[in-house]
């Protein structure tokens, strides 16, 4: 990397004060992220299980982000200790532990109240009710916060270096138009890029309003990486997120008694016992009986073959099912969590053992598969993570009691968006809008006026409506779970606490 490339990678348009150069500029980025109120709010945002509903200490978005940062730094330090792996990283653009840690800390800044449920609901409301072609996406919202909506002194955004902003881009494309051809038209598609050509990619890293910044952040990597490829630092952060998600969320489910040893063991053992017969079932017959033990595992095996044939292997899959059964079903879940020291020690040992196993399995590939980054898990551990994620989905996310809770949260968000939209549309209330909401409307108007319908792949744009819609989305996405509930209570006339409700305004 020559000096000009290094300078662009370091700063990339960010203003770095002379005093900041006494240490790593990337550590300055990390400190700015940690000092941001958007980072502090993550302590009040649900990861999977609401702390209020469990009465126990469970992960929220803040603790999740901290653990992703820890895992990510561990991956970089292990890779850089190997001369061959470090040389390959340098050829691909470099990999700095501070860059990866900063990106990991910032990767969930844009996630809205109520976890992934909130993300899905806000996206639907943004597209269908507020007329936003880009809708809502948590990763794109995180990028918007660090580049546009966070205010730090006279700067707009957090004024981060190009390297950290590029590392934040797990999905370095917009919903529909960038790059051209869009990765959703590749075969196979990069992970997250699949979707309906009409509505766009399922996952994306930036809205059209931040596209110029995305291009500038990735400019130092031109010629090394395709437009749709992650930087190696983004790839490390993405892998660390997968590891933390697969392991640490299982801790919560065990603590609150959601994961039952009998049901998890029955699912895994049934597939091991009946694998040959299950493989003989047609897809329709399998779907019709998916609630029976063993069927979900077989369905996962087929899905992995369809989507990830580049790495999926039946022998590795069988070994992964056996390893998860021994470690989780016959290990951690063998004794119910009762809050005792022994139970806490069992959770700690499980988490530490799996984290080390997965970090040690991470390696760098020069020939990046389309469905993965340059930094990825070895084949056996990749399969193990897929099986752990299945346990998460099958025995937590598909529970009727969780669905009941989430349907209420979805209705709450819809009512909140509707109430804010009505407030913004009231001509007599302009002077009494929350100052933050007013500022977000002005910001969105200034951004949208510089864009054309072609930027969105459309024929026309309603600038005023889009500005109002984006401001509402920005406002709601910046709330904690509790603030969203409190604000709707106030807007619905159910709250009697006049001044304390102002804390969200």
């Amino acid at each position: 990397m020559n000096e000009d490339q290094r300078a662009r990678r370091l700063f990339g348009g960010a203003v770095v004060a002379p005093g900041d150069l006494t240490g790593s500029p990337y550590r300055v980025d990390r400190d700015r992220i940690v000092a941001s109120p958007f980072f502090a709010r993550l302590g009040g945002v649900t990861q999977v299980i609401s702390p209020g509903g469990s009465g126990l200490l469970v992960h929220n978005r803040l603790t999740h982000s901290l653990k992703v940062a820890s895992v990510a730094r561990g991956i970089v330090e292990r890779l850089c200790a190997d001369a061959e792996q470090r040389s390959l990283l340098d050829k691909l653009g470099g990999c700095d532990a501070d860059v990866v840690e900063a990106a990991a800390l910032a990767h969930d800044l844009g996630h809205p109240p109520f976890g992934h449920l909130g993300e899905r609901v806000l996206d639907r409301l943004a597209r269908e009710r507020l007329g936003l072609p880009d809708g809502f996406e948590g990763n794109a919202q995180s990028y918007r916060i660090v580049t546009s909506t966070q205010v730090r002194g006279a700067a707009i955004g957090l004024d981060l270096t190009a390297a950290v902003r590029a590392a934040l881009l797990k999905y370095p494309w917009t919903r529909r138009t960038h790059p051209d051809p869009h990765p959703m038209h590749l075969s196979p598609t990069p992970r997250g890029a699949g979707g309906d050509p009409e509505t766009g990619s399922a996952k994306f890293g930036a809205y059209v309003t931040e596209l110029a910044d995305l291009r500038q952040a990735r400019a130092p990597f031109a010629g090394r990486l395709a437009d749709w490829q992650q930087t190696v630092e983004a790839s490390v952060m993405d892998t660390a997120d997968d590891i933390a998600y697969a392991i640490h969320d299982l801790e919560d489910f065990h603590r609150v008694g959601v994961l039952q040893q009998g049901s998890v063991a029955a699912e895994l053992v049934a597939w091991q016992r009946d694998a040959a017969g299950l493989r003989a079932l047609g897809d329709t017959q399998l779907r019709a009986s998916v609630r029976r033990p063993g069927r979900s595992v077989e369905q996962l095996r087929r899905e992995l073959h369809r989507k990830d044939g580049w790495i999926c292997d039946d022998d590795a899959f069988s070994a992964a099912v056996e390893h998860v059964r021994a470690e989780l079903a016959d290990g951690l879940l063998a004794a119910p969590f009762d809050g005792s020291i022994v139970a806490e020690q069992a959770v700690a040992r499980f988490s530490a053992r799996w984290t080390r196993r997965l970090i040690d399995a991470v390696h760098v590939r020069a020939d990046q598969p389309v469905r993965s980054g340059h930094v990825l898990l070895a084949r056996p551990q990749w399969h193990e993570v897929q099986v752990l994620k299945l346990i998460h989905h099958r025995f937590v996310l598909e529970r009727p009691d969780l669905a009941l809770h989430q349907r209420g949260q979805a209705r709450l968000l819809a009512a909140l968006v509707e109430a804010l939209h009505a407030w913004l549309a009231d001509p007599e209330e302009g002077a009494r809008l929350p100052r933050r909401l007013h500022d977000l409307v002005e910001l969105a108007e200034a951004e949208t006026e510089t864009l054309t319908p072609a930027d969105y792949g459309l024929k026309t744009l309603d600038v005023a409506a889009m500005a109002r819609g984006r401001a509402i989305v920005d406002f709601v996405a910046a709330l904690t779970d509790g603030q969203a509930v409190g604000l709707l209570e106030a807007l619905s006339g159910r709250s009697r606490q006049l001044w304390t409700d102002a804390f969200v305004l």
Side-chain angles (χ1 to χ4, degrees):
M1 185 180 299
N2 62 38
E3 287 305 310
D4 178 62
Q5 288 173 321
R6 175 174 168 76
R8 285 191 297 156
R9 174 178 156 77
L10 277 172
F11 307 117
V15 178
V16 182
D20 292 344
L21 298 178
T22 56
S24 163
Y26 309 138
R27 292 196 179 192
V28 175
D29 285 354
R30 183 193 62 190
D31 292 345
R32 290 176 181 176
I33 292 163
V34 172
S36 165
F38 285 92
F39 185 72
R41 92 170 243 285
L42 294 179
V45 180
T46 294
Q47 171 69 7
V48 178
I49 299 173
S50 170
S54 68
L56 293 171
L57 290 176
V58 295
H59 287 87
N60 52 50
R61 285 283 169 184
L62 179 62
T63 56
H64 168 73
S65 297
L66 292 170
K67 289 192 174 183
V68 173
S70 177
V71 171
R73 192 172 191 96
I75 291 173
V76 176
E77 291 173 350
R78 194 191 69 78
L79 292 177
C80 289
D82 183 302
E84 183 178 348
Q85 296 279 283
R86 185 182 186 112
S87 175
L88 184 51
L89 288 171
D90 288 341
K91 290 177 182 178
L92 294 168
C95 192
D96 185 281
D98 289 330
V99 170
V100 170
E101 183 179 10
L105 290 169
H107 85 284
D108 267 355
L109 290 179
H111 274 269
F114 311 127
H116 290 292
L117 175 278
E119 187 175 10
R120 293 194 300 272
V121 171
L122 267 187
D123 179 48
R124 176 178 56 79
L125 293 170
R127 288 183 292 106
E128 299 176 5
R129 179 66 182 92
L130 302 177
L132 294 174
D134 273 348
F136 175 86
E137 210 282 338
N139 295 281
Q141 192 71 20
S142 295
Y143 199 77
R144 178 168 172 79
I145 286 169
V146 303
T147 59
S148 301
T149 60
Q150 164 73 70
V151 177
R152 193 188 70 84
I156 298 298
L158 288 178
D159 200 24
L160 304 180
T161 60
V164 170
R165 285 180 284 133
L168 190 56
L169 292 164
K170 291 168 62 172
Y171 312 104
W173 52 81
T174 63
R175 188 159 208 152
R176 289 191 292 184
T177 57
H178 174 83
D180 187 16
H182 195 278
M184 68 177 161
H185 300 303
L186 295 177
S187 182
T189 59
R191 189 163 62 99
D196 183 346
E198 291 298 315
T199 58
S201 176
K203 292 286 186 180
F204 54 100
Y207 302 123
V208 169
T209 46
E210 283 71 55
L211 177 55
D213 193 288
L214 179 153
R215 286 186 168 123
Q216 188 272 334
R218 286 180 54 87
F221 303 93
R224 285 187 174 87
L225 304 171
D227 287 339
W228 54 266
Q229 287 180 310
Q230 299 172 331
T231 67
V232 290
E233 288 155 334
S235 186
V236 170
M237 184 269 287
D238 193 9
T239 302
D241 193 18
D242 257 6
I243 290 173
Y245 178 82
I247 298 172
H248 300 134
D249 287 348
L250 288 179
E251 294 179 25
D252 292 347
F253 310 146
H254 175 50
R255 287 176 186 277
V256 299
V258 169
L259 282 183
Q260 297 295 315
Q261 194 269 350
S263 55
V264 173
E267 180 70 33
L268 300 177
V269 171
W271 182 84
Q272 292 178 308
R273 184 189 63 233
D274 304 330
L278 290 172
R279 291 185 188 188
L281 294 177
D283 287 344
T284 301
Q285 189 177 4
L286 182 65
R287 284 194 298 270
S289 60
V290 73
R291 305 301 295 181
R292 295 175 59 186
R295 267 61 173 178
S296 291
V297 177
E298 174 60 19
Q299 198 169 51
L300 172 66
R301 187 190 68 82
R302 297 184 189 189
E303 182 180 352
L304 294 179
H305 272 291
R306 283 193 292 267
K307 290 185 176 181
D308 292 291
W310 62 277
I311 192 172
C312 186
D313 174 84
D314 282 339
D315 288 340
F317 184 81
S318 296
V321 171
E322 170 59 23
H323 191 72
V324 171
R325 183 196 62 76
E327 286 279 314
L328 182 63
D330 295 348
L332 181 66
L333 303 182
F337 183 84
D338 59 7
S340 66
I341 293 176
V342 171
E344 290 286 6
Q345 289 173 334
V347 171
R349 285 194 300 269
F350 175 87
S351 180
R353 186 167 60 249
W354 271 92
T355 300
R356 176 46 55 194
R357 176 180 176 82
L358 296 181
I359 288 178
D360 286 346
V362 175
H363 64 286
V364 188
R365 277 182 58 168
D367 57 332
Q368 177 198 7
V370 173
R371 292 280 298 170
S372 177
H374 281 288
V375 178
L376 66 161
L377 288 163
R379 189 186 302 267
Q381 287 72 33
W382 182 88
H383 284 81
E384 289 165 9
V385 167
Q386 308 313 311
V387 176
L388 289 174
K389 286 183 176 181
L390 170 69
I391 301 301
H392 178 173
H393 281 269
R394 174 71 176 82
F395 296 103
V396 179
L397 298 185
E398 294 180 4
R399 287 174 62 97
D401 50 358
L402 180 61
L404 176 68
H405 191 57
Q406 289 184 332
R407 287 181 68 83
Q409 292 172 335
R411 289 171 64 88
L412 185 153
L413 282 176
L416 182 54
V417 166
E418 195 63 44
L420 289 171
H421 187 269
W423 197 358
L424 271 176
D426 189 337
E428 298 182 1
E429 287 289 302
R432 300 207 304 162
L433 287 171
R435 189 67 220 178
R436 175 70 175 171
L437 185 57
H438 183 274
D439 290 347
L440 288 171
V441 171
E442 288 188 343
L443 170 66
E445 285 176 342
E447 292 171 335
T448 310
E449 285 172 354
T450 66
L451 300 173
T452 68
D455 291 321
Y456 289 95
L458 300 174
K459 295 181 179 180
T460 61
L461 291 180
D462 185 337
V463 173
M466 286 178 62
R468 287 195 302 270
R470 182 54 64 194
I472 291 170
V473 168
D474 285 341
F475 189 80
V476 172
L479 300 174
T480 65
D481 294 7
Q483 287 175 329
V485 173
L487 182 56
L488 183 61
E489 286 286 304
L491 285 168
S492 303
R494 293 192 293 266
S495 174
R496 298 181 180 181
Q497 298 177 322
L498 173 62
W499 301 115
T500 55
D501 289 329
F503 76 104
V504 298
L505 308 182

